């Protein structure tokens, strides 16, 4: 196998980018800070593959961080966008595709009302405002290492890029970003994921002040963490306090089953947040749930939330085409599960053969290989024990062999419907070499 060491074009673009954009990227994890080396600038994407500016082709496990469940440049999505494009790109007035996508989302997820926004960040931020408006309470609860976008009150013990760029200071005290006033952070109470007793205790003491508990039903943003049945039961108990349960399904929605983690794990949240897949690769977020709660949103109710480009026709077209494809062929979920399971097994085997201690957490098409000895990794604290230097070396060895893994120990990878046995075989062969400490 050839080594893809020629990165002249990416290096040149990165140098130009750094001169005009902070860190040279528009979202921190893209900068490769925790794995080193030059971030690859992508020229095009097709199916399960990315092609960079130097002409190298990679098997893609980023999936644009989640949206591309059908693979890149899927013809149905491309054609739906082209069709919408021919009729104008933004109206600032309602149009039919918004209604169609809302109907489809309600039908698939069981939500009674849904409101579209432009990103996952907007979805969670708006859902929390709604929860506060509905309950008349100030406090919210989130879990250590869960990431819900970058709204001020959610940048407290947050996962994703905040873990990746922490440079060893994992578990940094709240807030996790400069620029978030302590007063905002003080309204966010933090509990440990997968610790039902801690959640019960917090709600028993302060439930009457807590508007909502927001959670990742399967965590992707600390690496993959899978909830225990006991923890899921404790989450549902928060409702007894008049506290709303908000499932942040921005990553898991339409991925872990047709109706997301809720369908797969039997969750019954009051509100859910979506993003990523719901926009089919264009910028869309959404929040929805019970009508009684959702009807507090303006103009029906007193909780204000708006967006110049919300319900954008191109974005709605891409989301509609994606959800319709998934609905037309639900067997995709069996294929994603089979690929995910085989990849997890293959990685465990290759690592064991090379004597490298890893723990693979996998559910459906989400997977993280933590560089820690085999054990039960259920919390952010356990995940944080990973050997990030060993992960970084492995990541680079994979990249050099044409496999684009998520450039951080604390992220999930994403498998798409375009990944076949060919990609699986090539990935495991590359992993086999990478665990042995070489790329060739
Ligand atoms: C990606 C993500 C978000 C933020 O979505 P953006 O579109 O990046 O703002 C929120 N919650 C979860 C669980 C996510 O994975």
């Amino acid at each position: 196998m050839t080594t893809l060491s020629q990165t002249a074009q990416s290096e040149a673009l990165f140098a130009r980018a750094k001169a005009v954009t902070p860190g040279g990227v528009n979202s921190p994890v893209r900068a490769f800070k925790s794995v080193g080396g030059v971030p690859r600038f992508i020229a095009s994407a097709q199916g399960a593959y990315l092609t960079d500016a130097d002409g190298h082709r990679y098997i893609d496990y980023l999936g644009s961080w989640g949206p591309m469940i059908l693979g890149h440049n899927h013809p149905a999505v491309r054609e739906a966008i082209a069709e919408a494009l021919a009729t104008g790109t933004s109206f600032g007035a309602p149009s039919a595709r918004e209604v169609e996508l809302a109907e489809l989302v309600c039908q698939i997820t069981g939500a009674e009302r849904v409101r579209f926004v432009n990103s996952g960040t907007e979805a969670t931020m708006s859902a929390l405002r709604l929860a506060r408006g509905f309950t008349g309470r100030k406090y919210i609860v989130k879990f250590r290492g869960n990431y819900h976008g970058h709204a001020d009150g959610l940048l407290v013990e947050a996962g994703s890029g905040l873990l990746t760029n922490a440079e060893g200071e994992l578990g940094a005290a709240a807030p996790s970003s400069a620029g978030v006033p302590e007063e905002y952070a003080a309204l966010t109470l933090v509990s440990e994921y997968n610790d039902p007793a801690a959640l019960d205790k917090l709600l028993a003491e302060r439930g009457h002040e807590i508007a909502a508990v927001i959670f990742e039903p399967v965590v992707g943003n600390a690496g993959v963490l899978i909830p225990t049945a006991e923890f899921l039961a404790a989450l549902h108990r928060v409702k007894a306090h008049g506290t709303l349960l908000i499932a942040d399904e921005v990553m898991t929605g339409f991925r872990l089953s047709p109706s997301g983690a809720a369908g797969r794990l039997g969750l019954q949240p009051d509100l859910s947040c979506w993003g990523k897949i719901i926009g089919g690769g264009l910028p869309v977020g959404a929040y929805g749930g019970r009508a009684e709660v959702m009807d507090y949103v303006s103009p029906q109710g007193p909780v204000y939330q708006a967006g110049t480009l919300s319900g954008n026709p191109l974005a709605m077209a891409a989301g509609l085409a994606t959800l319709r494809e998934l609905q037309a062929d639900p067997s995709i979920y069996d294929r994603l599960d089979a690929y995910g399971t085989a990849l997890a097994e293959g990685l465990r085997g290759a690592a064991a053969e090379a004597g490298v201690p890893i723990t693979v957490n996998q559910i459906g098409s989400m997977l993280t290989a933590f560089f820690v000895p085999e054990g039960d990794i259920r919390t952010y604290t356990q995940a944080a024990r990973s050997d990030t230097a060993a992960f970084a070396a492995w990541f680079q060895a994979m990249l050099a062999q044409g496999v684009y893994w998520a450039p951080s120990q604390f992220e999930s990878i994403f498998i798409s419907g375009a990944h076949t046995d060919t990609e699986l075989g090539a990935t495991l062969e590359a992993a086999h070499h990478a665990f042995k400490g070489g790329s060739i």
Side-chain angles (χ1 to χ4, degrees):
M1 209 167 215
T2 50
T3 296
L4 313 180
S5 55
Q6 237 282 36
T7 55
Q9 297 299 327
S10 282
E11 279 167 48
L13 283 164
F14 194 39
R16 280 170 59 195
K18 280 192 283 195
V20 287
T21 299
V25 290
N26 286 304
S27 197
V29 187
R30 296 179 197 170
F32 276 24
K33 222 174 146 182
S34 72
V35 290
V38 62
R40 304 306 194 265
F41 280 64
I42 303 305
S44 65
Q46 184 65 49
Y49 291 88
L50 297 175
T51 302
D52 75 12
D54 292 282
H56 305 308
R57 204 161 168 258
Y58 304 92
I59 300 173
D60 176 35
Y61 286 100
L62 272 186
S64 188
W65 298 97
M68 313 313 298
I69 192 166
L70 300 176
H72 294 282
N73 204 8
H74 189 281
V77 180
R78 189 177 62 238
E79 282 157 24
I81 296 171
E83 199 185 304
L85 183 61
T87 59
T89 58
S90 181
F91 311 133
S95 62
R97 287 188 185 86
E98 296 163 75
V99 187
E100 287 168 38
L101 186 55
E103 286 171 349
L104 190 55
V105 169
C106 288
Q107 184 206 323
I108 293 172
T109 67
E112 293 170 335
R113 302 274 190 280
V114 61
R115 170 59 68 83
F116 292 114
V117 292
N118 305 290
S119 66
T121 294
E122 273 185 78
T124 57
M125 182 183 81
S126 308
L128 288 168
R129 182 182 305 135
L130 172 59
R132 285 173 163 140
F134 180 77
T135 60
R137 299 173 181 178
K138 262 197 284 211
Y139 291 90
I140 59 159
V141 173
K142 76 176 286 290
F143 298 97
R144 296 189 76 208
N146 283 202
Y147 178 71
H148 304 291
H150 61 90
D152 284 336
L154 289 168
L155 292 179
V156 180
E157 303 261 2
S160 191
L162 292 137
L163 294 185
T164 307
N165 292 328
E167 289 175 344
E169 284 183 51
L170 295 162
S176 4
S177 166
V180 176
E182 282 165 28
E183 289 83 350
Y184 286 13
L187 297 176
T188 303
L189 309 176
V190 177
S191 196
E192 187 82 24
Y193 194 79
N194 269 332
D195 186 342
L199 184 60
D200 284 338
K201 183 163 179 284
L202 184 56
L203 268 291
E205 287 167 5
R206 305 192 61 177
H208 61 286
E209 304 177 285
I210 298 170
V213 172
I214 188 168
F215 68 105
E216 285 187 71
V218 166
V219 180
N221 289 295
V224 172
L225 304 176
I226 297 168
T228 62
E230 295 76 20
F231 183 60
L232 294 178
L235 284 167
H236 285 94
R237 283 196 290 275
V238 310
K239 294 184 186 184
H241 299 269
T243 298
L244 297 185
L245 187 60
I246 305 181
D248 179 353
E249 293 235 42
V250 171
M251 187 179 280
T252 54
F254 315 102
R255 176 168 287 282
L256 291 184
S257 82
S259 52
R264 187 160 185 144
L265 304 174
L267 302 175
Q268 290 182 316
D270 296 291
L271 296 174
S272 301
C273 301
W274 296 284
K276 298 183 174 140
I277 290 174
I278 203 170
L282 268 68
V284 183
Y287 61 107
R290 284 164 47 203
E292 182 201 4
V293 183
M294 286 299 292
D295 283 345
Y296 264 63
V297 177
S298 180
Q300 185 81 20
V303 175
Y304 194 70
Q305 185 270 305
T308 300
L309 290 168
S310 292
N312 173 269
L314 301 192
M316 296 292 105
L320 265 174
T322 300
L323 297 195
R324 281 177 180 154
E325 281 294 311
L326 293 171
Q327 211 181 22
D329 178 20
S331 72
I332 184 175
Y333 292 99
D334 298 330
R335 297 200 300 278
L336 293 173
D337 278 14
Y339 193 109
T341 306
L343 181 56
E345 285 301 314
L347 289 172
R348 289 183 190 114
E353 207 189 300
V356 176
I358 64 164
T359 299
V360 181
N361 280 2
Q362 173 259 336
I363 176 167
S365 55
M366 292 171 60
L367 179 154
T368 299
F370 291 104
F371 279 66
V372 286
E374 182 69 40
D376 200 20
I377 298 187
R378 294 280 184 177
T379 69
Y380 158 86
T381 309
Q382 292 165 337
R385 290 190 198 116
S386 301
D387 181 344
T388 51
F391 169 79
W394 184 81
F395 168 86
Q396 293 296 349
M398 292 294 276
L399 195 66
Q401 295 175 93
V403 180
Y404 198 128
W405 206 257
S408 163
Q409 175 69 97
F410 305 110
E411 300 283 357
S412 177
I413 60 129
F414 298 103
I415 299 157
S416 82
H419 288 74
T420 69
D421 284 348
T422 308
E423 286 74 35
L424 180 63
T427 302
L428 290 176
E429 196 189 320
H432 188 82
H433 293 304
F435 281 125
K436 290 192 166 157
S439 57
I440 304 167

